[in-house]
Amino acid sequence: MIDTVPAYGLQSTNISQQEILQRKKTAVLVDGVILNGPIVDSKAGEKFVEDACKIIMEEVIQKATDVTEKVCEWQPPEKLKKLLDLEMRDTGEPHQRLLQLCQDVIRYSVKTNHPRFYNQLYAGMDYYSLVARFITEALNPSIYTYEVSPVFLLVEEAVLKKMIEFIGWKEGDGIFNPGGSVSNMYAMNLARYKFCPDIKEKGLSGLPRLVLFTSEECHYSMKKAASFLGIGTQNVYFIKTDERGKMIPEELEKQVQRARKEGAAPFLVSATAGTTVLGAFDPLDEIADICEKHGLWLHVDASWGGSALMSKKHRKLLHGIHRADSVAWNPHKMLMAGIQCCALLVKDNSDLLKKCYSANASYLFQQDKFYDVSYDTGDKSIQCSRRPDAFKFWMMWKALGTTGLEERVNRAHALASYLVDEIKKREGFRLLLEPEYSNICFWYIPPSMRNMEEGPKFWEKIHRVAPIIKERMMKKGSMMLGYQPHHGKVNFFRQIVISPQVSREDMDLLLNEIDLLGGDL
C-alpha cells in the first residue's frame, strides 16, 4: 500500500514532503488506487489557464480588428495535419508544448472576427458576449433545472420574454437551441404534435400523409427535418418564388389545394424572413391569410432576418410576423451574440412545448421540490444537457441596450447600401438584384470578357471566375468572401455585411481586391 504513495506525490508538485509522509501513514487503497487527497495540481492548472488566456488576449482579441493581419493562413489538409501534431499519446505533454499547440490552433484557424471575413452569416467580435462565454465555460452549467442553474434559467426567461415582445406577441413561450436548423425541426415537430397529439405515444402508424409547404429558397434544414421526423422529403412542397426570391402566395394557395385533392393532410407552412443567399423576406401577411383560411401552423424561419426586428427603420421587412405560430431567430448572426445563440419562440402559452417534448424524468423533474418547479424548464427540450446560450445575448443587450443593437442593424444596412452604389459605378461589377437586406450578390466580369457577347460561352466563363478569385484570396489571406451558383444563375459572389468593425474603406478594398485578384482572368 505504502509503495505506491511516492508516485502519487510526484503528480502534485504543490504538495510538501511533510504532507507526503503524512499520506504514507494514512493511505487508503481501493483496486490499487490511492484515494487520499486530490490528484490534480491546482496551481499548475491555474498557471496554464493564465498563460493560455494571455495567448488568447494577444493573438485573438487584440488582433481581431487589425486589418494588416491575415484572415486565414491557408494550408491543405494533409500538411495541416502534420503542422498541428494531432496524435494523442499515452502520456501527457508538458505545458509549454500545450501552449505552443494553442498558438498553432489560433494561427491556422480562420479569423472570423477579422473585419474582412464576409464568408458566412456571422462575423466579428462582440466583447461583452465573449466575456459571457468565458464565464459559462468556466462555470460549466447545464440548464435543465433551477437547482443546478438558477441564474441562467432566469436569464433565459428574461431574454425570451423580450424577444417575444419584439415579435409583437402579448405572451408566448420559447427555448434556446443548438442552431437554427434545430429550431426549425422543433417547430415542424410542434406543428405536427398540435395537428395530431396522439403521435407522441402512438407514433407514425395510422397517420394520414402529412405534407408541409415552404419556399424553394428555404434553408436546407427544412428537408433535413422532414427526413429526420419521418415525414419524408417528398412531402415537402416547395413553393415557387418571384425574381427576388420571395414566396408567391398564389402558388402556396394552389399547392395547398393540390395536396388536399391528393388526399394528403397539410399541417404546416414555413415562411422565410431573410433567405440564406439572396436575403429575401417572404410576404408574411399574405401567407398568414392562407394559413388562417386552411387551419395551418405558420412557422417563420427568421434565423437570419429576425434581428431586423430590433430596428425601427427595418422591422417592416418582417411585417406580419406577429401572426406566426412560431419563429426561429438567431442572435448570433446579425447581432453577433457568438455562436451559437438560437431561439425558437412560440405564440402558444399553454405549455405546448412541454406537452410535446416532456418525458418527466423522475430523477430530474421531481414535483415535490422545495421551490417553484415551474422554473425547471428542461423538459421543454429534446436535450438533457443544454448550454446557457441566452446569457451571451443578455450580457450584450445589457451592455449596448436596445438602441445599441438597433444601431448595429442600421449600420450593416447602410454599409450594404454604400457597397451597392459602388458596385453600380464600377466597370466589371454587376448586381444580381437590388438587395433588401445585407446580402449583396454580384458578378465580377474580368477585362478580357467585358466585350464578349452574353451567350452561353460568356456565362460558362463567368462561372469559373469566382472560384479562382476565392482560391487566390484565401491563399493570400486578404479576405474571405462566399460564392455559389443559384437557381440557374452561374457562380456569383455573396457579400454579407454584419460586423460594426467593418468600415467604408473595407467595402472599397473588397472591390479593389477582387479586381486585383481577377484582372488577369
Side-chain angles (χ1 to χ4, degrees):
M1 185 184 296
I2 302 299
D3 290 343
T4 60
V5 175
Y8 164 75
L10 289 173
Q11 291 181 50
S12 189
T13 55
N14 197 43
I15 298 171
S16 68
Q17 288 298 314
Q18 189 175 0
E19 286 176 302
I20 292 172
L21 289 171
Q22 180 62 32
R23 289 181 184 179
K24 282 183 178 180
K25 295 177 184 177
T26 60
V28 175
L29 276 176
V30 175
D31 294 333
V33 178
I34 295 174
L35 303 184
N36 297 55
I39 64 165
V40 175
D41 186 344
S42 298
K43 292 297 180 186
E46 289 166 12
K47 183 67 169 66
F48 177 71
V49 171
E50 183 182 338
D51 291 343
C53 283
K54 187 178 179 184
I55 291 171
I56 293 168
M57 190 69 197
E58 292 174 356
E59 297 299 320
V60 180
I61 298 171
Q62 290 176 350
K63 291 182 178 180
T65 58
D66 187 349
V67 293
T68 66
E69 292 287 325
K70 288 186 175 184
V71 178
C72 61
E73 185 81 39
W74 170 257
Q75 299 292 341
E78 293 307 316
K79 185 177 179 183
L80 187 56
K81 286 177 186 178
K82 293 175 183 175
L83 287 169
L84 291 178
D85 182 23
L86 297 170
E87 181 67 28
M88 290 156 284
R89 300 174 176 87
D90 291 341
T91 56
E93 300 184 38
H95 281 186
Q96 281 308 118
R97 174 63 187 141
L98 296 176
L99 292 170
Q100 181 58 52
L101 286 172
C102 291
Q103 289 182 310
D104 291 343
V105 166
I106 292 168
R107 178 182 176 184
Y108 296 115
S109 291
V110 173
K111 310 305 185 293
T112 64
N113 304 316
H114 197 289
R116 291 170 187 164
F117 175 81
Y118 312 117
N119 209 66
Q120 313 298 147
L121 300 183
Y122 68 92
M125 176 184 291
D126 180 84
Y127 300 103
Y128 305 105
S129 68
L130 181 62
V131 169
R133 281 182 274 171
F134 288 160
I135 291 170
T136 55
E137 289 300 321
L139 289 172
N140 197 32
S142 180
I143 52 170
Y144 31 59
T145 62
Y146 183 82
E147 65 184 281
V148 297
S149 196
V151 173
F152 298 119
L153 275 170
L154 294 180
V155 164
E156 183 175 71
E157 180 187 58
V159 172
L160 289 169
K161 184 178 179 182
K162 200 72 175 174
M163 293 175 81
I164 284 165
E165 194 179 299
F166 271 85
I167 289 172
W169 297 335
K170 292 180 180 177
E171 58 182 11
D173 198 1
I175 195 162
F176 275 78
N177 299 308
S181 295
V182 174
S183 292
N184 287 336
M185 185 181 73
Y186 264 68
M188 190 180 293
N189 194 47
L190 199 61
R192 183 174 66 174
Y193 174 78
K194 178 79 171 178
F195 184 77
C196 44
D198 287 349
I199 193 171
K200 181 176 179 181
E201 294 181 356
K202 296 180 180 178
L204 297 172
S205 59
L207 283 180
R209 180 168 73 90
L210 298 175
V211 298
L212 63 108
F213 310 88
T214 190
S215 145
E216 59 186 9
E217 294 275 346
C218 75
H219 191 260
Y220 66 86
S221 60
M222 297 307 296
K223 281 181 76 171
K224 286 195 171 189
S227 171
F228 185 83
L229 294 171
I231 291 167
T233 56
Q234 289 185 357
N235 295 315
V236 181
Y237 287 26
F238 294 101
I239 309 303
K240 289 179 184 176
T241 56
D242 62 18
E243 69 282 354
R244 299 191 57 81
K246 299 169 178 284
M247 187 192 293
I248 301 171
E250 294 79 9
E251 292 296 324
L252 173 61
E253 175 67 35
K254 286 179 190 174
Q255 292 300 317
V256 173
Q257 291 183 12
R258 172 196 151 199
R260 287 250 160 89
K261 286 176 184 174
E262 291 172 351
F267 75 103
L268 166 69
V269 174
S270 179
T272 310
T275 59
T276 305
V277 177
L278 301 179
F281 287 73
D282 288 340
L284 301 181
D285 248 341
E286 295 170 70
I287 292 169
D289 287 342
I290 294 168
C291 289
E292 285 182 9
K293 176 183 173 182
H294 294 283
L296 305 176
W297 182 285
L298 174 57
H299 172 64
V300 177
D301 178 7
S303 297
W304 172 223
S307 296
L309 290 168
M310 307 298 294
S311 166
K312 289 186 280 290
K313 184 176 182 180
H314 298 292
R315 65 176 292 117
K316 62 180 181 285
L317 290 167
L318 298 107
H319 181 71
I321 195 169
H322 64 285
R323 299 176 65 186
D325 296 291
S326 58
V327 174
W329 177 1
N330 293 4
H332 77 231
K333 295 185 186 253
M334 177 64 77
L335 297 179
M336 298 168 53
I339 288 177
Q340 54 204 8
C341 188
C342 315
L344 173 69
L345 304 149
V346 182
K347 184 187 286 186
D348 183 281
N349 200 32
S350 67
D351 264 346
L352 187 67
L353 267 172
K354 190 172 181 181
K355 290 170 188 171
C356 180
Y357 292 111
S358 64
N360 301 313
S362 59
Y363 69 93
L364 274 178
F365 305 110
Q366 304 93 330
Q367 297 304 296
D368 55 357
K369 292 181 180 180
F370 63 93
Y371 59 85
D372 182 355
V373 295
S374 68
Y375 286 98
D376 289 356
T377 57
D379 227 8
K380 293 194 293 188
S381 170
I382 58 171
Q383 297 169 256
C384 181
S385 299
R386 195 163 61 89
R387 297 170 62 86
D389 291 326
F391 182 61
K392 296 174 284 194
F393 191 24
W394 178 82
M395 181 68 84
M396 185 176 72
W397 205 330
K398 291 286 279 186
L400 301 177
T402 303
T403 54
L405 296 177
E406 179 179 18
E407 183 184 346
R408 192 164 279 185
V409 175
N410 290 344
R411 179 178 167 80
H413 277 263
L415 278 169
S417 296
Y418 172 81
L419 181 61
V420 166
D421 289 341
E422 289 302 303
I423 287 172
K424 289 176 181 177
K425 293 175 192 174
R426 295 209 185 197
E427 188 180 7
F429 291 85
R430 186 186 301 181
L431 285 170
L432 262 75
L433 75 169
E434 288 280 342
E436 59 179 343
Y437 205 45
S438 68
N439 307 45
I440 303 102
C441 299
F442 63 93
W443 287 289
Y444 173 68
I445 304 168
S448 67
M449 303 179 201
R450 287 174 194 170
N451 295 318
M452 280 184 69
E453 183 184 343
E454 293 190 14
K457 196 168 185 179
F458 170 82
W459 289 110
E460 185 182 325
K461 286 191 172 187
I462 293 296
H463 186 66
R464 296 198 293 267
V465 169
I468 295 171
I469 294 176
K470 176 68 177 279
E471 178 184 356
R472 291 176 177 181
M473 74 172 66
M474 287 196 67
K475 288 182 175 177
K476 183 179 177 182
S478 57
M479 62 183 187
M480 279 185 67
L481 178 66
Y483 75 87
Q484 62 282 302
H486 191 67
H487 291 306
K489 293 183 171 66
V490 301
N491 281 326
F492 55 86
F493 289 111
R494 181 198 64 170
Q495 159 72 345
I496 302 294
V497 184
I498 296 175
S499 173
Q501 287 137 359
V502 174
S503 66
R504 175 189 63 78
E505 291 82 0
D506 293 313
M507 297 294 95
D508 293 338
L509 182 132
L510 168 79
L511 300 181
N512 293 339
E513 186 71 2
I514 289 173
D515 222 354
L516 178 68
L517 295 172
D520 64 334
L521 295 176

